[in-house]
Amino acid sequence: MQMAIITSYVPDAAYGLLGPQMAATIIQDHTRHPCIVIAVTRDDDKDSLKKALSDYFGSRRAVIGFSALSGREDLFSLAKELKDEGAVTILAGPQADADFRGEEGWQQHSHRFKGLAECFRFALHGPAEQAIPLLSRLEGSDWPDVPGLLYNDRNGGIIQNPKKSWDEKYLGKVRWDNLYVVDGNGISPQRITTGQVLQQIGCPHAARVIEAEIDYPASIRAGQGERIKLPLRGCSFCDVAADKGFPGKLEMETVLCQIRCLPEGRDGGKIPFELINEYPLPGLPDLLRAANRSGMRLSQINLTLRADGLIAGAAHLEEALRAARQMGVYLLLSAIGFESFDDTILRNLNKGISVQENLEAVRLIRRLKAEFPHHLGYSTQEGAIHGFIHPTPWDSREIFAGAQKTMYLYGLPNDILPRYSIPLIIHHASGLGAWIREIEQREGIRYKRSGSIICWWEEPAGC
């Protein structure tokens, strides 16, 4: 048997996909079944992909995982088509359980997302190594000993087994030569120029539940001034906060093992990599020194972090920059989650930060850039794409005018704001998914669903 994992990708990109590629590594190393990752863009031809899959599997039964699908209905449809043709299709990745089961209350509300149980034979929720016992016994109708597994019983009901905890012994190795893209000849290996290294699982901001108050959408005039109280973990729009919580950090040696797996660039150093850790600064100086002691040449580390983490970790960042200067390493603050420069929007997003904290973070990185011009990057011109969510359901003329004034007063279009903002995406299992359902119930309206996404920007039915 051999296996392939299909995942969403961006055209003309060259970045690695840690989750799917690590999962493929675990499967190949621990089941002895070859496993590759196929990155599929929205522009790829479905028939070419299906032919490539047929050539890859040959006479073997197709076992195909799907992960990190970005809510793409074309990939949902592809999975169903492959399943109907006899392939074993497995949904994995964050929120695999929620997407397999469907949106809360869909049985009573026909407009809600009914889930993907018809598209996939199984779903696997949690660590990738749970696939090991499943792949050894795909046939049958009952899998009580496979952790994290979801499947339909004979009566059409969904059975969900408890997932296992993260096991660090599986997280030290990643093969970066197993990613393929669709081309005119079927599939071909993808050369990766930017990798990823996992240091922290989950987000501390999502580690505790708080009682949040979210405003009514600006489009419902009758509800202005009203708020909906919801228990939330982390940012209200985050579609993985409730899934992962905060299991914790990995040991230094595990992180170093992942770095060793990275390909080398033309200069002999490791290719640039994103360090996956929402609060990376306290441990960054130690990581740089440990990598140096291990004889690894680092070229660039991309940091994705929160504005409050940047402020709290300022001293650690300065220490890391001094070490980076000695080692010839470039630190890029590649994505800071500012999201908005209006306090009302930030509160509704449950960011846990204020506009003043965002601006303090901007002042800090501008100062550090002046001190370490050759070893720190943060601006859009240097390749950073910072979080900026717009439009949102709460936009009004007053909010827009106030945010615009702040952004131009502090010169944010010059170095902070991305070229294009990201519209607010509401996944059905996020905190804002519950917010939408409460609005629907109170107001007797129905928002359209596009796959697993709730279309808040369209006029709801029943208005």
Side-chain angles (χ1 to χ4, degrees), residues 1-5 20-37 56 128-129 131-132 135 170 173-175 177-180:
M1 187 185 78
Q2 59 190 43
M3 185 174 174
I5 297 174
Q21 291 189 255
M22 181 179 279
T25 303
I26 292 170
I27 289 167
Q28 181 150 327
D29 286 358
H30 294 273
T31 69
R32 298 184 179 178
H33 300 314
C35 186
I36 64 171
V37 179
Y56 172 71
E129 64 267 19
I132 298 170
L135 295 177
Y170 292 100
K173 181 180 178 183
V174 187
R175 290 178 52 222
D177 61 352
N178 57 9
L179 182 66
Y180 290 73

mmCIF file of all heavy atoms in Angstrom, residues 1-5 20-37 56 128-129 131-132 135 170 173-175 177-180:
data_model
loop_
_atom_site.group_PDB
_atom_site.id
_atom_site.type_symbol
_atom_site.label_atom_id
_atom_site.label_comp_id
_atom_site.label_asym_id
_atom_site.label_seq_id
_atom_site.Cartn_x
_atom_site.Cartn_y
_atom_site.Cartn_z
ATOM 1 N N MET A 1 0.846 -1.193 0.000
ATOM 2 C CA MET A 1 0.000 0.000 0.000
ATOM 3 C C MET A 1 0.876 1.234 0.000
ATOM 4 O O MET A 1 1.980 1.232 0.532
ATOM 5 C CB MET A 1 -0.899 0.002 1.250
ATOM 6 C CG MET A 1 -1.940 1.107 1.252
ATOM 7 S SD MET A 1 -2.879 1.141 2.800
ATOM 8 C CE MET A 1 -1.682 1.949 3.863
ATOM 9 N N GLN A 2 0.410 2.298 -0.643
ATOM 10 C CA GLN A 2 1.055 3.593 -0.523
ATOM 11 C C GLN A 2 -0.024 4.653 -0.383
ATOM 12 O O GLN A 2 -1.200 4.388 -0.605
ATOM 13 C CB GLN A 2 1.969 3.882 -1.697
ATOM 14 C CG GLN A 2 1.314 3.877 -3.059
ATOM 15 C CD GLN A 2 2.372 3.938 -4.158
ATOM 16 O OE1 GLN A 2 3.398 3.256 -4.087
ATOM 17 N NE2 GLN A 2 2.130 4.754 -5.163
ATOM 18 N N MET A 3 0.390 5.849 0.002
ATOM 19 C CA MET A 3 -0.569 6.872 0.395
ATOM 20 C C MET A 3 -0.141 8.223 -0.157
ATOM 21 O O MET A 3 1.044 8.465 -0.413
ATOM 22 C CB MET A 3 -0.673 6.926 1.924
ATOM 23 C CG MET A 3 -1.727 7.864 2.456
ATOM 24 S SD MET A 3 -1.908 7.729 4.258
ATOM 25 C CE MET A 3 -3.056 9.079 4.543
ATOM 26 N N ALA A 4 -1.121 9.090 -0.358
ATOM 27 C CA ALA A 4 -0.858 10.488 -0.716
ATOM 28 C C ALA A 4 -1.704 11.382 0.175
ATOM 29 O O ALA A 4 -2.793 10.993 0.604
ATOM 30 C CB ALA A 4 -1.187 10.749 -2.185
ATOM 31 N N ILE A 5 -1.192 12.567 0.467
ATOM 32 C CA ILE A 5 -1.922 13.569 1.234
ATOM 33 C C ILE A 5 -2.109 14.790 0.338
ATOM 34 O O ILE A 5 -1.132 15.344 -0.180
ATOM 35 C CB ILE A 5 -1.164 13.964 2.513
ATOM 36 C CG1 ILE A 5 -1.010 12.761 3.440
ATOM 37 C CG2 ILE A 5 -1.891 15.102 3.240
ATOM 38 C CD1 ILE A 5 -0.142 13.026 4.664
ATOM 39 N N PRO A 20 1.288 18.636 6.906
ATOM 40 C CA PRO A 20 1.174 17.497 5.994
ATOM 41 C C PRO A 20 2.496 16.775 5.750
ATOM 42 O O PRO A 20 2.523 15.541 5.674
ATOM 43 C CB PRO A 20 0.648 18.140 4.707
ATOM 44 C CG PRO A 20 -0.055 19.380 5.154
ATOM 45 C CD PRO A 20 0.749 19.876 6.324
ATOM 46 N N GLN A 21 3.595 17.516 5.635
ATOM 47 C CA GLN A 21 4.866 16.856 5.340
ATOM 48 C C GLN A 21 5.386 16.066 6.541
ATOM 49 O O GLN A 21 6.001 15.011 6.384
ATOM 50 C CB GLN A 21 5.898 17.875 4.864
ATOM 51 C CG GLN A 21 5.539 18.443 3.484
ATOM 52 C CD GLN A 21 6.642 19.282 2.877
ATOM 53 O OE1 GLN A 21 6.545 20.502 2.863
ATOM 54 N NE2 GLN A 21 7.686 18.648 2.386
ATOM 55 N N MET A 22 5.130 16.557 7.754
ATOM 56 C CA MET A 22 5.487 15.773 8.937
ATOM 57 C C MET A 22 4.597 14.538 9.041
ATOM 58 O O MET A 22 5.074 13.445 9.385
ATOM 59 C CB MET A 22 5.383 16.621 10.200
ATOM 60 C CG MET A 22 5.752 15.877 11.473
ATOM 61 S SD MET A 22 5.666 16.903 12.961
ATOM 62 C CE MET A 22 7.239 17.756 12.871
ATOM 63 N N ALA A 23 3.306 14.693 8.738
ATOM 64 C CA ALA A 23 2.406 13.541 8.764
ATOM 65 C C ALA A 23 2.855 12.487 7.769
ATOM 66 O O ALA A 23 2.872 11.279 8.086
ATOM 67 C CB ALA A 23 0.977 13.990 8.458
ATOM 68 N N ALA A 24 3.238 12.905 6.557
ATOM 69 C CA ALA A 24 3.727 11.949 5.556
ATOM 70 C C ALA A 24 4.994 11.259 6.029
ATOM 71 O O ALA A 24 5.196 10.059 5.787
ATOM 72 C CB ALA A 24 3.966 12.671 4.232
ATOM 73 N N THR A 25 5.861 11.998 6.720
ATOM 74 C CA THR A 25 7.092 11.424 7.263
ATOM 75 C C THR A 25 6.774 10.361 8.306
ATOM 76 O O THR A 25 7.355 9.258 8.304
ATOM 77 C CB THR A 25 7.968 12.526 7.883
ATOM 78 O OG1 THR A 25 8.247 13.523 6.897
ATOM 79 C CG2 THR A 25 9.265 11.961 8.432
ATOM 80 N N ILE A 26 5.863 10.681 9.221
ATOM 81 C CA ILE A 26 5.477 9.727 10.269
ATOM 82 C C ILE A 26 4.898 8.463 9.653
ATOM 83 O O ILE A 26 5.245 7.331 10.049
ATOM 84 C CB ILE A 26 4.475 10.385 11.233
ATOM 85 C CG1 ILE A 26 5.162 11.482 12.045
ATOM 86 C CG2 ILE A 26 3.836 9.348 12.157
ATOM 87 C CD1 ILE A 26 4.208 12.351 12.844
ATOM 88 N N ILE A 27 4.019 8.625 8.676
ATOM 89 C CA ILE A 27 3.388 7.453 8.043
ATOM 90 C C ILE A 27 4.430 6.591 7.348
ATOM 91 O O ILE A 27 4.455 5.369 7.506
ATOM 92 C CB ILE A 27 2.300 7.925 7.054
ATOM 93 C CG1 ILE A 27 1.108 8.489 7.831
ATOM 94 C CG2 ILE A 27 1.855 6.788 6.139
ATOM 95 C CD1 ILE A 27 0.117 9.264 6.983
ATOM 96 N N GLN A 28 5.317 7.212 6.597
ATOM 97 C CA GLN A 28 6.314 6.429 5.858
ATOM 98 C C GLN A 28 7.299 5.748 6.800
ATOM 99 O O GLN A 28 7.673 4.589 6.579
ATOM 100 C CB GLN A 28 7.057 7.327 4.871
ATOM 101 C CG GLN A 28 8.087 6.592 4.035
ATOM 102 C CD GLN A 28 8.286 7.210 2.669
ATOM 103 O OE1 GLN A 28 7.346 7.747 2.083
ATOM 104 N NE2 GLN A 28 9.491 7.140 2.158
ATOM 105 N N ASP A 29 7.712 6.431 7.852
ATOM 106 C CA ASP A 29 8.715 5.864 8.765
ATOM 107 C C ASP A 29 8.144 4.770 9.669
ATOM 108 O O ASP A 29 8.860 3.853 10.066
ATOM 109 C CB ASP A 29 9.328 6.962 9.638
ATOM 110 C CG ASP A 29 10.297 7.836 8.861
ATOM 111 O OD1 ASP A 29 10.526 7.573 7.668
ATOM 112 O OD2 ASP A 29 10.824 8.796 9.450
ATOM 113 N N HIS A 30 6.859 4.869 10.012
ATOM 114 C CA HIS A 30 6.313 3.968 11.020
ATOM 115 C C HIS A 30 5.341 2.930 10.466
ATOM 116 O O HIS A 30 4.890 2.057 11.214
ATOM 117 C CB HIS A 30 5.632 4.777 12.123
ATOM 118 C CG HIS A 30 6.581 5.627 12.913
ATOM 119 N ND1 HIS A 30 7.272 5.163 14.010
ATOM 120 C CD2 HIS A 30 6.979 6.923 12.741
ATOM 121 C CE1 HIS A 30 8.039 6.123 14.493
ATOM 122 N NE2 HIS A 30 7.877 7.199 13.756
ATOM 123 N N THR A 31 4.992 3.034 9.185
ATOM 124 C CA THR A 31 4.151 1.996 8.577
ATOM 125 C C THR A 31 4.832 1.342 7.386
ATOM 126 O O THR A 31 4.347 0.348 6.874
ATOM 127 C CB THR A 31 2.812 2.581 8.090
ATOM 128 O OG1 THR A 31 3.038 3.442 6.971
ATOM 129 C CG2 THR A 31 2.114 3.349 9.189
ATOM 130 N N ARG A 32 5.937 1.927 6.930
ATOM 131 C CA ARG A 32 6.679 1.467 5.752
ATOM 132 C C ARG A 32 5.868 1.596 4.466
ATOM 133 O O ARG A 32 6.202 0.982 3.452
ATOM 134 C CB ARG A 32 7.163 0.018 5.939
ATOM 135 C CG ARG A 32 8.133 -0.150 7.101
ATOM 136 C CD ARG A 32 8.662 -1.551 7.205
ATOM 137 N NE ARG A 32 9.597 -1.686 8.311
ATOM 138 C CZ ARG A 32 10.206 -2.824 8.665
ATOM 139 N NH1 ARG A 32 9.960 -3.936 7.964
ATOM 140 N NH2 ARG A 32 11.029 -2.853 9.674
ATOM 141 N N HIS A 33 4.819 2.392 4.504
ATOM 142 C CA HIS A 33 4.053 2.679 3.302
ATOM 143 C C HIS A 33 4.542 4.015 2.741
ATOM 144 O O HIS A 33 4.519 5.025 3.450
ATOM 145 C CB HIS A 33 2.557 2.777 3.604
ATOM 146 C CG HIS A 33 1.964 1.529 4.186
ATOM 147 N ND1 HIS A 33 2.220 0.282 3.665
ATOM 148 C CD2 HIS A 33 1.120 1.340 5.229
ATOM 149 C CE1 HIS A 33 1.561 -0.629 4.367
ATOM 150 N NE2 HIS A 33 0.893 -0.010 5.324
ATOM 151 N N PRO A 34 4.996 4.062 1.487
ATOM 152 C CA PRO A 34 5.397 5.350 0.901
ATOM 153 C C PRO A 34 4.258 6.361 0.985
ATOM 154 O O PRO A 34 3.090 6.016 0.813
ATOM 155 C CB PRO A 34 5.724 4.992 -0.552
ATOM 156 C CG PRO A 34 6.026 3.528 -0.529
ATOM 157 C CD PRO A 34 5.149 2.948 0.534
ATOM 158 N N CYS A 35 4.591 7.620 1.270
ATOM 159 C CA CYS A 35 3.573 8.648 1.403
ATOM 160 C C CYS A 35 4.145 9.974 0.914
ATOM 161 O O CYS A 35 5.233 10.377 1.341
ATOM 162 C CB CYS A 35 3.101 8.783 2.855
ATOM 163 S SG CYS A 35 1.707 9.914 3.075
ATOM 164 N N ILE A 36 3.414 10.632 0.009
ATOM 165 C CA ILE A 36 3.823 11.937 -0.488
ATOM 166 C C ILE A 36 2.723 12.959 -0.200
ATOM 167 O O ILE A 36 1.600 12.604 0.158
ATOM 168 C CB ILE A 36 4.120 11.909 -2.002
ATOM 169 C CG1 ILE A 36 2.849 11.571 -2.795
ATOM 170 C CG2 ILE A 36 5.251 10.942 -2.313
ATOM 171 C CD1 ILE A 36 3.016 11.731 -4.301
ATOM 172 N N VAL A 37 3.073 14.233 -0.351
ATOM 173 C CA VAL A 37 2.112 15.328 -0.193
ATOM 174 C C VAL A 37 1.945 16.005 -1.549
ATOM 175 O O VAL A 37 2.945 16.335 -2.207
ATOM 176 C CB VAL A 37 2.593 16.351 0.850
ATOM 177 C CG1 VAL A 37 1.589 17.495 0.980
ATOM 178 C CG2 VAL A 37 2.806 15.679 2.200
ATOM 179 N N TYR A 56 0.157 7.390 -9.924
ATOM 180 C CA TYR A 56 0.905 7.184 -8.674
ATOM 181 C C TYR A 56 0.501 5.876 -8.003
ATOM 182 O O TYR A 56 1.358 5.094 -7.568
ATOM 183 C CB TYR A 56 0.673 8.364 -7.739
ATOM 184 C CG TYR A 56 1.238 8.186 -6.350
ATOM 185 C CD1 TYR A 56 2.617 8.211 -6.127
ATOM 186 C CD2 TYR A 56 0.397 8.000 -5.250
ATOM 187 C CE1 TYR A 56 3.142 8.049 -4.850
ATOM 188 C CE2 TYR A 56 0.921 7.839 -3.970
ATOM 189 C CZ TYR A 56 2.283 7.862 -3.773
ATOM 190 O OH TYR A 56 2.791 7.695 -2.509
ATOM 191 N N ALA A 128 -0.781 13.127 14.122
ATOM 192 C CA ALA A 128 -0.723 12.348 12.888
ATOM 193 C C ALA A 128 -0.425 10.877 13.122
ATOM 194 O O ALA A 128 -0.836 10.025 12.324
ATOM 195 C CB ALA A 128 0.328 12.941 11.951
ATOM 196 N N GLU A 129 0.269 10.549 14.218
ATOM 197 C CA GLU A 129 0.625 9.147 14.436
ATOM 198 C C GLU A 129 -0.579 8.258 14.700
ATOM 199 O O GLU A 129 -0.470 7.025 14.698
ATOM 200 C CB GLU A 129 1.639 9.015 15.576
ATOM 201 C CG GLU A 129 1.140 9.435 16.946
ATOM 202 C CD GLU A 129 1.457 10.879 17.267
ATOM 203 O OE1 GLU A 129 1.723 11.656 16.321
ATOM 204 O OE2 GLU A 129 1.437 11.234 18.456
ATOM 205 N N ALA A 131 -2.702 7.751 12.650
ATOM 206 C CA ALA A 131 -2.927 7.048 11.385
ATOM 207 C C ALA A 131 -2.253 5.687 11.356
ATOM 208 O O ALA A 131 -2.647 4.822 10.562
ATOM 209 C CB ALA A 131 -2.412 7.899 10.221
ATOM 210 N N ILE A 132 -1.261 5.467 12.214
ATOM 211 C CA ILE A 132 -0.503 4.213 12.164
ATOM 212 C C ILE A 132 -1.406 3.003 12.405
ATOM 213 O O ILE A 132 -1.423 2.072 11.577
ATOM 214 C CB ILE A 132 0.674 4.256 13.160
ATOM 215 C CG1 ILE A 132 1.637 5.377 12.772
ATOM 216 C CG2 ILE A 132 1.392 2.914 13.224
ATOM 217 C CD1 ILE A 132 2.706 5.670 13.817
ATOM 218 N N LEU A 135 -4.043 2.569 9.377
ATOM 219 C CA LEU A 135 -3.571 2.068 8.095
ATOM 220 C C LEU A 135 -3.287 0.571 8.121
ATOM 221 O O LEU A 135 -3.234 -0.068 7.067
ATOM 222 C CB LEU A 135 -2.309 2.838 7.671
ATOM 223 C CG LEU A 135 -2.527 4.322 7.379
ATOM 224 C CD1 LEU A 135 -1.204 5.000 7.047
ATOM 225 C CD2 LEU A 135 -3.517 4.518 6.242
ATOM 226 N N TYR A 170 7.498 11.754 17.992
ATOM 227 C CA TYR A 170 7.141 11.775 16.572
ATOM 228 C C TYR A 170 7.416 13.124 15.913
ATOM 229 O O TYR A 170 7.212 13.260 14.697
ATOM 230 C CB TYR A 170 5.653 11.448 16.399
ATOM 231 C CG TYR A 170 5.280 10.031 16.760
ATOM 232 C CD1 TYR A 170 4.695 9.735 17.986
ATOM 233 C CD2 TYR A 170 5.515 8.977 15.879
ATOM 234 C CE1 TYR A 170 4.341 8.447 18.324
ATOM 235 C CE2 TYR A 170 5.163 7.672 16.207
ATOM 236 C CZ TYR A 170 4.577 7.413 17.430
ATOM 237 O OH TYR A 170 4.232 6.128 17.761
ATOM 238 N N LYS A 173 11.331 14.761 13.339
ATOM 239 C CA LYS A 173 11.803 14.505 11.970
ATOM 240 C C LYS A 173 10.769 14.950 10.953
ATOM 241 O O LYS A 173 9.583 14.674 11.099
ATOM 242 C CB LYS A 173 12.101 13.021 11.775
ATOM 243 C CG LYS A 173 12.629 12.677 10.379
ATOM 244 C CD LYS A 173 12.908 11.189 10.238
ATOM 245 C CE LYS A 173 13.378 10.864 8.826
ATOM 246 N NZ LYS A 173 13.594 9.410 8.630
ATOM 247 N N VAL A 174 11.242 15.634 9.923
ATOM 248 C CA VAL A 174 10.395 16.032 8.798
ATOM 249 C C VAL A 174 11.185 15.817 7.511
ATOM 250 O O VAL A 174 12.319 16.274 7.392
ATOM 251 C CB VAL A 174 9.980 17.513 8.874
ATOM 252 C CG1 VAL A 174 8.955 17.826 7.779
ATOM 253 C CG2 VAL A 174 9.430 17.873 10.228
ATOM 254 N N ARG A 175 10.595 15.114 6.568
ATOM 255 C CA ARG A 175 11.184 15.008 5.232
ATOM 256 C C ARG A 175 10.667 16.172 4.398
ATOM 257 O O ARG A 175 9.469 16.379 4.294
ATOM 258 C CB ARG A 175 10.786 13.684 4.569
ATOM 259 C CG ARG A 175 11.425 12.456 5.189
ATOM 260 C CD ARG A 175 10.923 11.193 4.504
ATOM 261 N NE ARG A 175 11.077 11.297 3.056
ATOM 262 C CZ ARG A 175 10.153 10.901 2.176
ATOM 263 N NH1 ARG A 175 8.999 10.425 2.594
ATOM 264 N NH2 ARG A 175 10.375 11.013 0.878
ATOM 265 N N ASP A 177 11.504 16.517 1.136
ATOM 266 C CA ASP A 177 11.556 16.153 -0.284
ATOM 267 C C ASP A 177 10.304 15.405 -0.731
ATOM 268 O O ASP A 177 10.297 14.781 -1.794
ATOM 269 C CB ASP A 177 12.786 15.286 -0.561
ATOM 270 C CG ASP A 177 12.782 13.975 0.220
ATOM 271 O OD1 ASP A 177 11.904 13.791 1.089
ATOM 272 O OD2 ASP A 177 13.669 13.127 -0.039
ATOM 273 N N ASN A 178 9.233 15.480 0.078
ATOM 274 C CA ASN A 178 8.036 14.702 -0.233
ATOM 275 C C ASN A 178 6.864 15.563 -0.706
ATOM 276 O O ASN A 178 5.731 15.103 -0.758
ATOM 277 C CB ASN A 178 7.611 13.850 0.971
ATOM 278 C CG ASN A 178 7.365 14.680 2.225
ATOM 279 O OD1 ASN A 178 7.341 15.903 2.177
ATOM 280 N ND2 ASN A 178 7.191 14.017 3.361
ATOM 281 N N LEU A 179 7.133 16.836 -1.054
ATOM 282 C CA LEU A 179 6.077 17.729 -1.518
ATOM 283 C C LEU A 179 6.094 17.795 -3.044
ATOM 284 O O LEU A 179 7.132 18.047 -3.658
ATOM 285 C CB LEU A 179 6.271 19.134 -0.934
ATOM 286 C CG LEU A 179 5.206 20.170 -1.295
ATOM 287 C CD1 LEU A 179 3.862 19.791 -0.675
ATOM 288 C CD2 LEU A 179 5.615 21.564 -0.830
ATOM 289 N N TYR A 180 4.906 17.594 -3.643
ATOM 290 C CA TYR A 180 4.772 17.597 -5.095
ATOM 291 C C TYR A 180 3.692 18.596 -5.506
ATOM 292 O O TYR A 180 2.763 18.877 -4.745
ATOM 293 C CB TYR A 180 4.398 16.200 -5.618
ATOM 294 C CG TYR A 180 5.515 15.193 -5.500
ATOM 295 C CD1 TYR A 180 5.891 14.667 -4.266
ATOM 296 C CD2 TYR A 180 6.218 14.771 -6.628
ATOM 297 C CE1 TYR A 180 6.921 13.749 -4.154
ATOM 298 C CE2 TYR A 180 7.260 13.848 -6.526
ATOM 299 C CZ TYR A 180 7.606 13.347 -5.291
ATOM 300 O OH TYR A 180 8.631 12.442 -5.184
#
